[in-house]
Structure formats: C-alpha cells, structure tokens
Amino acid sequence: MKTPVSASSPATAADLALMQGAPPPPAQHVTLASWQEGPHNRWSFQHASEFVPTANLSRGDGPVFELPTDLERLDGLAIRGVACASTLEEFLSETYTDGFLILHEGRVRYERYLNGMTPATRHLLHSISKSFCGALTGEFVERGVVELDAPVRAYVPELWDSAYGDATVANLLDMTASVRFSEDYTDPASEVQAQDRAAGWRPRRAEDPENSYLFLRALVGDGRPHGSEFQYCSATTDTLAWVLERATGCRYTDLFADALWSRIGAEHEASITVDSAGFAFANGGVSTTLRDLARFGYLMLHGGTVDGFRATPPNWAARHRDNGDPSLIGSEIDFAVAYPNGSYSAGWWCTGDAAGTYYGAGIYGQFLWIVPEASLVIVKLSSLPRPLDPAATRDHREGFHAIVNALT
Amino acid sequence: MKTPVSASSPATAADLALMQGAPPPPAQHVTLASWQEGPHNRWSFQHASEFVPTANLSRGDGPVFELPTDLERLDGLAIRGVACASTLEEFLSETYTDGFLILHEGRVRYERYLNGMTPATRHLLHSISKSFCGALTGEFVERGVVELDAPVRAYVPELWDSAYGDATVANLLDMTASVRFSEDYTDPASEVQAQDRAAGWRPRRAEDPENSYLFLRALVGDGRPHGSEFQYCSATTDTLAWVLERATGCRYTDLFADALWSRIGAEHEASITVDSAGFAFANGGVSTTLRDLARFGYLMLHGGTVDGFRATPPNWAARHRDNGDPSLIGSEIDFAVAYPNGSYSAGWWCTGDAAGTYYGAGIYGQFLWIVPEASLVIVKLSSLPRPLDPAATRDHREGFHAIVNALT
C-alpha cells in the first residue's frame, strides 16, 4: 500500500500508526472498546487475540492440503458493472481489503495481501464462523450424536424457559428460531452488544451476565412460533454450539479442532475467542489465514470431502440447498431484494441463482463466496469502517458477480 | 497418564476434569483468579491464551531447524541421587511434568509428553521468557541500537523519576537494578501480584494502574545504588523490554517475532501475553512448544548461531559467563547455596560449575537447562502446585545433575 491505487484509497493500519508508540498515544491506541470499529479495525482484525482471550485450534499433524497456484491468468483483470471500481485492484482497494483469493478450478488464480496482512496472518472472520458451526453440526448429525428434530431443551435443560427451549436443533441451524433480540451492531442497548460484553468482546458493565451461557439462558421469545420465519440472530448459533457441547460432552473449541480444523489440511492453526467460562464465540470468533479459509471453501464446493481431507460429511455439504426456504425471509431485507430466491441454511446464505452460489459472510466485509457451477471460491477478508453498509454490500455482490462473469 | 507411575502421581487435568462441562462446574472452572495456581495450572499452562490476550509470534516462512531424533539410548534411564525418584520416568511424574526433552550432541534422545500435552501444544514458560529478552537485547546491542551503559531515562524519559531512571541497560539485563519490589508470588499485597493485575494476569482492582507501562513508572527505588547487588525482579525485565521498544521504535511483540522467533527455525508459532496497551509481558508471558524451546537452547549452546539459524549474535551467546558476578548474589538465597560460584546475567542463571551449566527458569517448574561441556540441553515444562518450592527446586537440580551424570 505504499502506492495507493487511487486518491481515495483507505488509510492502512501503518498509515494510521495504529498501536505504534510505547504506549500508543490515545489516537493510535486500539482498545477493547474501539477495536471493532473503523479505522481501528484496520489493525485489530489481524490481531483479534490481543483483545479477547482465544483458544488455539490445532491443525493437527497431518499433511497440508496443497493448493496449486497459477497466478498469471487473472493479472490485471478488468471487472465491469461495479459501482466503486473498474479493475479488480481498484475494487479491492476501495472495499478495505486485507486479503483476497480466487480459487478457480482447483487453482489459486489470484492472491493479494493488503494493509499489512501476510499469508501467515490470521484474520477475524466474524460470522463466517457460523458456516463452520454448520459444518460441525453436520458432522455430529452424521455420527448420530445430535438429532435435528430434537428440541434444544433435550440437550440443554437450563434453556427450558428461555427463548430456545422448544426450538429444534434445525431451527437453530437454519436461523428460524424466534427470539427477542436486536442484531443492531451499532446500538449499545441491543442484545448483540450485550452478548459482546458477556463474551469479552466489549468492556463489561456491572449488570451484564458473567458469560455467554448465562446470557443465552436469559433470552426470551418474541411470541412468534419457531420455524415460521428467518431471523438472523448471532445468539442462535451460540445456542447451537452449546447443544453440540452437551451432545458430545466436549468443549466447542475441542470439537472444532478435532472434528474440523485438524481434518481440512489447514496450513496454520486457527483461533477462536473464548469467554470467562471458556465458551467459544461460535457465531463470530474464528480467525484463520486467507488460504486456510479457501481450503474450507474448496472442500464445501466438492461435497465436503476431497482426497481424504474433510470439512463435512459428503451428504451434508449441499444440505443448505435443499433446506433453505426463501419464503421464510422477509422480502424487504437487503439480501432478499438482491436474491429473490435466496434463503439461509446451516450457516450459509444461499442465493438461489442458476450457478448454485452460496456464501458465508461476516460484518465489516468478510466473504467466503462459493459458485459450484463455475468451480469457484472467492475469499475476501476486509476491515470496512462500518459493520453493515448497504452500499458496500452491493459493491461486494457486484464485484463477485463481475469476477464470475470475467472467468466464465 | 492412564497408568500412574506411582500411587502418588499427581492428578492430571483430565483426572480433575478441569474446564469440562458446559459451563464447567465451580470446582472444575479455571478462572483468571485461579489459573496460575495448582491444580488449576495443570490445565491452564497449556491454555494461557484462554486467560490473557496474546500476540502471535510468527515463525516466519523459513525452513524448520530439524532436530534429529535418536530415542533408543535413554529408554529406561535410571537416575541416582534424586530424592523424589530413582528412574527418569518417576522423576518426571513426581515433578508434575507436562513436557520433557533431552537434546544430547544434537539429537533428541528423550521426549515425553504428559498431562495432555502434545508436540503441537504451546506451554507457558514463565520466566524463561526473560532468557528470550536477554537474547533480543543482544541483537539490538549488536546492531548499535541499544547501549548497555546508557541510562534507562535516555530511552524512556517517563522513567526519569522512577526506580529505573538512572539504572543502566546493563543493570536491567543482569538484574542489578535496585527497586522497592516484593517478588512474593503468593502475597496479594506484593508488587509482583500488582504487576500481574496491571498486565491482565489477575482480576483488576479499581486502584490498579491501567497497564504495565504505568505500573513501571510508579515503581520507586529502595535506596541502594544500582549495580551493587543482584535483585531478581520481574518488572526489571519489562523495563528492559520498554527500552527495546523505544530504542527500535517497534513493539516488543514485533521485535520478538522479527528478530528472534522467525530466525530460530521454529516449527510452530509462539505467543506472548499482552496488556490493555498492547505491551507484551516480557518477563513471563511466552508460550512455546517443547521442541521449539529446545531449538532455542541448542542455538545458545552453539554460540547463538547454527547453519544460518540464529538466536543471538555470535559474540553475545556467552556474555552471561563473563558478566555474571557471584559476589552480587546474597549468599543466603537458595541458588547461591546450591551454586556458590553462581551468578545471574542476561536472563540466565549461571551455575559457575566446571561444565559451564546455565539455565533459564520459570516458576511452577519450567527449565531450559544447558550444559555446554556435555553438549546437552534439557527442557522441562511442568505445572507444579506452588510457584516456588525449595524441595521441588532441589529435586529438579538433582534430577538434571543425575541425567548429566548418566549421559557423560
């Protein structure tokens, strides 16, 4: 980023001298209260473990799933129809990219690191973490340890009287549980910020529950029956993680390492944030390298399993295609406007387009974009200034579509 | 540990079901208030990043320094003269070992993992971290960035009026700065516990300084002149780390990764805990794998540099031999009783024995034991019940001596 692509290129962490100085002066000091927001997140998303305690997700001692590289073909790719940019490089710069990779027909065709990120840097994935939780659920459904139709209270009796007690595991997985919950990331009075505080992601207040388990127990329903409507709610994924812990008798961190991360041929260890009870932040706390996330996407693209590397059981990888129900998504939400046949299931946003496109997405510009018909995986890790920004979301959608068009 | 070596074998983390249950019941819940103490440390020393935020220390992308393995020779080694045990296996079990490795004449002759540790597990090193800070100091002295004779206030003007302002960098390095400081780990009123709280290692109190920088600024002298006496003080190492940050203009975490960890041929990333200002806990916050610590020891044994892998500049690796001054150590302290010619310098305890033995040591049983004349490195990572225990220290000393005798 020594040579900005355009005059409006966003400032990098180095430009801003974030966390430089001993101690850093106030303007450069990224704190637990500020780390999620731009521009502080230009530094923090590559250093999440410096703000919140983390568990190590071991890659195990197996072989690395090698990704053949063939970079020439996309050098200087022009993309059309993207409001913010006309070349791929401009697109990446304008959208606060930290890491970007295109895996096409099994080969890495483009790989860029910006804003100080490197191939060994772990970057926070935010809600792409939910896609991992979906894959793990598949693993334990396959093993017969978890029943999708069973009520949550069968696994976690403490949730009997909470919003989730009579939801099914499938309701959690597909985000059709109903709960009184504001997912407004910018509202200090929202439940999602309260959950952050319980999980160690923001400074605690005296009245906050001590950990995520207690936070989840206190959530109440909103009167609608479960299964009647899509409701994107981060706490729903954490409840699913709790169910997995109780069903298996293992910590989520251990499940993740043993049943998923050590089996995908990852090159690097991953990490997941944990709260004061050791409970992982399943909905958004995973950090991985760019390439390791691409590996997971590639395995999903190929039915969950390739050459002995495994992300999900073979008959699970496409479950979201069959189980997502577009009629459950309110037609007014941005995703439904863009993809009228779209649905959400098992941690994935399913566009319902002809190419079978589906993706994992996280706030501030994290995307794992999978296009089965084009044999394409696009990974984009970013540090946008705001958690949700309709214009930025549109830019990303258009950018990915333009890349798919340029390649096929 | 399915088959205890003796009836008195200490309980493992698994035996105690530490951090099992969702949430863990109180007796099994390892907390920020309890994690350092036994038996909770049987789990926590392999999971330090779950309690305190950590910075990643990248191993870089260079080759691994391979350690040839030749395990047969020491199988069933009998050791004599050790109060607690008569075989190596008994010794390891009785002294709460998590990982143990003997590197003799360049080959791994013995390697054991206990209490759930694996070759990929990072284990907290406590004050062996100081030996790394000593090596890093050597690097920047060699580069001409730091002057050993310069006063601390020349680098950190904020320390002008503190205990350390008129100490020299060499006083910090060799622990001959004088400061009013109790290193009593078990006394809640001690400075070392107050430092823990400022560094995020224990629950904060309202009156605590917000971070380690502020903590160090508030320390005052105790009236003795610097350089007149050895005073083992953890804060002295952190002050040295602050000097290195100011002299180089880089964070200690970055210095550590760039100038040391990425150059020793480490197999795994390491981590170091950081406080709310992003300041690393140089005196005790490093976690590494067993083998990676052995690599560092092997490089020290061979003058700091082997085959392009580098721990220190060549003319620095033996500095502690020439600069340690036995006359500065109070004759009543345990170390001086055991080693009347012993001294401390540059992060190392130097025994002054004929074999040139020196070592890095951390509370609760961490040792990096280097015997130049025997071409021997012993690494022992443990989770003893108490931070300092004269009987346990004696057992370790005797155990290492017995191993050296058995091998030479």
Side-chain angles (χ1 to χ4, degrees):
Chain A
M1 294 302 288
K2 301 276 176 178
T3 312
V5 172
S6 78
S8 65
S9 289
T12 64
D15 293 338
L16 300 164
L18 295 174
M19 291 305 275
Q20 297 302 309
Q28 296 161 223
H29 186 187
V30 183
T31 69
L32 184 63
S34 76
W35 71 285
Q36 295 190 60
E37 291 154 27
H40 280 184
N41 62 9
R42 299 240 79 194
W43 190 86
S44 64
F45 287 178
Q46 298 177 47
H47 298 87
S49 67
E50 298 204 29
F51 299 92
V52 189
T54 49
N56 188 46
L57 300 174
S58 175
R59 65 165 299 285
D61 53 9
V64 171
F65 182 16
E66 298 296 345
L67 296 178
T69 299
D70 177 13
L71 293 179
E72 302 83 349
R73 199 167 135 190
L74 298 190
D75 242 20
L77 184 75
I79 55 175
R80 292 185 182 81
V82 182
C84 71
S86 60
T87 67
L88 181 52
E89 292 219 326
E90 270 181 27
F91 166 67
L92 297 182
S93 172
E94 299 295 323
T95 55
Y96 292 74
T97 306
D98 299 323
F100 184 76
L101 189 149
I102 299 175
L103 188 64
H104 184 217
E105 294 172 346
R107 292 173 178 273
V108 177
R109 290 287 161 75
Y110 194 87
E111 183 173 12
R112 273 298 295 279
Y113 296 94
L114 301 157
N115 185 33
M117 189 164 171
T118 74
T121 307
R122 286 189 284 266
H123 191 290
L124 188 61
L125 306 186
H126 287 291
S127 292
I128 302 176
S129 306
K130 295 180 171 77
S131 312
F132 287 116
C133 190
L136 272 168
T137 304
E139 184 64 33
F140 293 103
V141 167
E142 169 86 2
R143 295 188 195 179
V145 176
V146 177
E147 295 276 347
L148 288 175
D149 295 334
V152 167
R153 63 190 175 212
Y155 300 99
V156 188
E158 298 97 312
L159 288 174
W160 195 283
D161 293 326
S162 80
Y164 293 111
D166 57 348
T168 64
V169 176
N171 293 148
L172 304 183
L173 185 67
D174 299 333
M175 290 282 187
T176 60
S178 294
V179 52
R180 193 179 301 165
F181 194 96
S182 162
E183 187 91 8
D184 183 345
Y185 305 101
T186 60
D187 176 7
S190 68
E191 280 81 6
V192 79
Q193 281 211 10
Q195 183 174 18
D196 270 6
R197 297 194 302 272
W201 277 47
R202 295 180 188 268
R204 284 178 53 77
R205 298 177 186 169
E207 71 274 20
D208 289 327
E210 273 187 27
N211 57 52
S212 298
Y213 295 117
L214 294 172
F215 173 83
L216 296 174
R217 284 177 64 169
L219 291 175
V220 295
D222 70 350
R224 291 172 299 128
H226 297 305
S228 63
E229 205 173 311
F230 169 72
Q231 181 186 354
Y232 189 83
C233 171
S234 286
T236 298
T237 301
D238 297 300
T239 304
L240 178 57
W242 196 358
V243 167
L244 295 180
E245 289 192 327
R246 283 290 173 81
T248 61
C250 295
R251 302 177 76 207
Y252 188 75
T253 57
D254 292 339
L255 297 179
F256 201 128
D258 295 346
L260 203 161
W261 201 250
S262 62
R263 300 171 81 187
I264 68 163
E267 193 174 351
H268 291 274
E269 289 162 348
S271 69
I272 188 165
T273 71
V274 292
D275 69 13
S276 65
F279 189 29
F281 206 50
N283 85 73
V286 178
S287 291
T288 73
T289 65
L290 183 67
R291 279 189 164 232
D292 282 340
L293 185 57
R295 288 180 169 93
F296 175 65
Y298 186 76
L299 291 172
M300 291 302 302
L301 182 70
H302 288 278
T305 307
V306 176
D307 295 341
F309 299 105
R310 173 168 167 139
T312 71
N315 59 1
W316 181 268
R319 177 187 177 280
H320 54 271
R321 283 205 216 179
D322 306 324
N323 283 271
D325 182 347
S327 74
L328 299 182
I329 299 198
S331 59
E332 76 293 354
I333 80 163
D334 185 62
F335 173 75
V337 173
Y339 302 110
N341 296 318
S343 60
Y344 186 95
S345 178
W348 300 101
W349 297 93
C350 312
T351 69
D353 71 5
T357 305
Y358 64 101
Y359 61 93
I363 49 176
Y364 298 99
Q366 325 313 322
F367 289 96
L368 174 57
W369 195 271
I370 299 174
V371 190
E373 292 303 312
S375 188
L376 186 70
V377 175
I378 300 173
V379 188
K380 187 174 189 296
L381 302 174
S382 324
S383 41
L384 285 165
R386 284 175 294 281
L388 287 177
D389 173 347
T393 303
R394 186 202 60 220
D395 286 342
H396 280 88
R397 213 159 46 217
E398 289 175 350
F400 300 147
H401 294 169
I403 290 163
V404 174
N405 289 338
L407 283 174
T408 53
Chain B
M1 293 301 288
K2 301 277 177 179
T3 313
V5 173
S6 78
S8 65
S9 289
T12 64
D15 292 338
L16 299 164
L18 294 175
M19 291 304 274
Q20 297 302 310
Q28 296 160 224
H29 186 187
V30 184
T31 69
L32 184 63
S34 75
W35 71 285
Q36 295 190 60
E37 291 153 29
H40 280 184
N41 62 9
R42 298 241 80 194
W43 191 86
S44 64
F45 287 177
Q46 298 177 46
H47 297 88
S49 67
E50 298 204 30
F51 299 92
V52 189
T54 50
N56 188 45
L57 300 174
S58 174
R59 64 164 301 283
D61 51 11
V64 172
F65 182 15
E66 297 296 343
L67 296 178
T69 299
D70 177 12
L71 293 180
E72 301 83 347
R73 201 167 133 191
L74 298 189
D75 242 19
L77 184 75
I79 54 176
R80 291 185 183 82
V82 183
C84 73
S86 60
T87 67
L88 181 52
E89 292 219 326
E90 270 180 28
F91 166 66
L92 298 181
S93 172
E94 299 296 323
T95 56
Y96 292 73
T97 305
D98 299 323
F100 184 77
L101 189 148
I102 298 175
L103 188 65
H104 185 219
E105 294 172 346
R107 292 173 177 274
V108 177
R109 290 286 161 76
Y110 195 87
E111 184 174 13
R112 273 297 296 278
Y113 296 94
L114 301 158
N115 184 32
M117 188 163 171
T118 75
T121 307
R122 285 189 285 267
H123 191 289
L124 188 61
L125 306 186
H126 288 291
S127 292
I128 303 177
S129 305
K130 294 180 171 76
S131 312
F132 286 117
C133 190
L136 272 167
T137 304
E139 184 64 34
F140 292 103
V141 167
E142 168 88 1
R143 294 187 195 180
V145 175
V146 177
E147 295 276 348
L148 288 176
D149 294 334
V152 167
R153 63 190 176 212
Y155 299 99
V156 188
E158 298 97 312
L159 289 174
W160 196 283
D161 293 327
S162 80
Y164 293 109
D166 58 348
T168 64
V169 175
N171 293 148
L172 304 182
L173 184 67
D174 299 332
M175 290 281 188
T176 60
S178 293
V179 52
R180 193 179 301 164
F181 194 96
S182 162
E183 186 92 8
D184 182 344
Y185 305 101
T186 60
D187 176 7
S190 68
E191 280 81 5
V192 78
Q193 282 212 9
Q195 181 174 19
D196 270 5
R197 298 194 302 272
W201 276 47
R202 293 179 189 268
R204 283 178 54 76
R205 297 178 187 169
E207 71 275 19
D208 289 328
E210 273 187 26
N211 57 52
S212 298
Y213 294 118
L214 295 172
F215 173 82
L216 296 175
R217 285 177 64 169
L219 291 176
V220 296
D222 69 351
R224 290 172 300 128
H226 298 304
S228 64
E229 205 172 309
F230 169 73
Q231 182 186 354
Y232 189 84
C233 171
S234 286
T236 298
T237 301
D238 296 300
T239 305
L240 179 57
W242 196 358
V243 167
L244 294 180
E245 289 193 328
R246 282 291 173 81
T248 61
C250 294
R251 304 176 76 209
Y252 188 75
T253 57
D254 292 339
L255 298 179
F256 200 130
D258 296 345
L260 204 161
W261 201 250
S262 61
R263 300 171 80 188
I264 68 163
E267 193 174 351
H268 291 274
E269 290 162 348
S271 69
I272 188 164
T273 71
V274 293
D275 69 13
S276 65
F279 189 29
F281 206 51
N283 85 73
V286 178
S287 290
T288 74
T289 65
L290 183 67
R291 282 191 160 230
D292 282 341
L293 186 57
R295 289 181 169 93
F296 174 66
Y298 187 75
L299 291 171
M300 290 303 301
L301 182 69
H302 289 278
T305 306
V306 176
D307 295 341
F309 298 105
R310 174 168 165 139
T312 71
N315 59 0
W316 181 268
R319 178 187 176 280
H320 53 273
R321 283 205 218 180
D322 306 324
N323 283 270
D325 183 346
S327 74
L328 299 181
I329 298 199
S331 59
E332 76 293 353
I333 81 163
D334 185 61
F335 173 75
V337 173
Y339 302 109
N341 296 316
S343 61
Y344 185 94
S345 178
W348 299 102
W349 297 93
C350 312
T351 68
D353 70 6
T357 304
Y358 64 102
Y359 61 93
I363 48 177
Y364 299 99
Q366 325 313 321
F367 289 94
L368 174 56
W369 195 271
I370 300 174
V371 189
E373 292 304 311
S375 188
L376 186 69
V377 175
I378 301 173
V379 188
K380 186 173 189 297
L381 301 174
S382 325
S383 40
L384 285 165
R386 285 175 293 280
L388 287 177
D389 174 345
T393 304
R394 186 203 60 221
D395 286 342
H396 280 86
R397 215 158 44 217
E398 289 175 351
F400 300 147
H401 293 169
I403 290 163
V404 175
N405 289 337
L407 283 173
T408 54

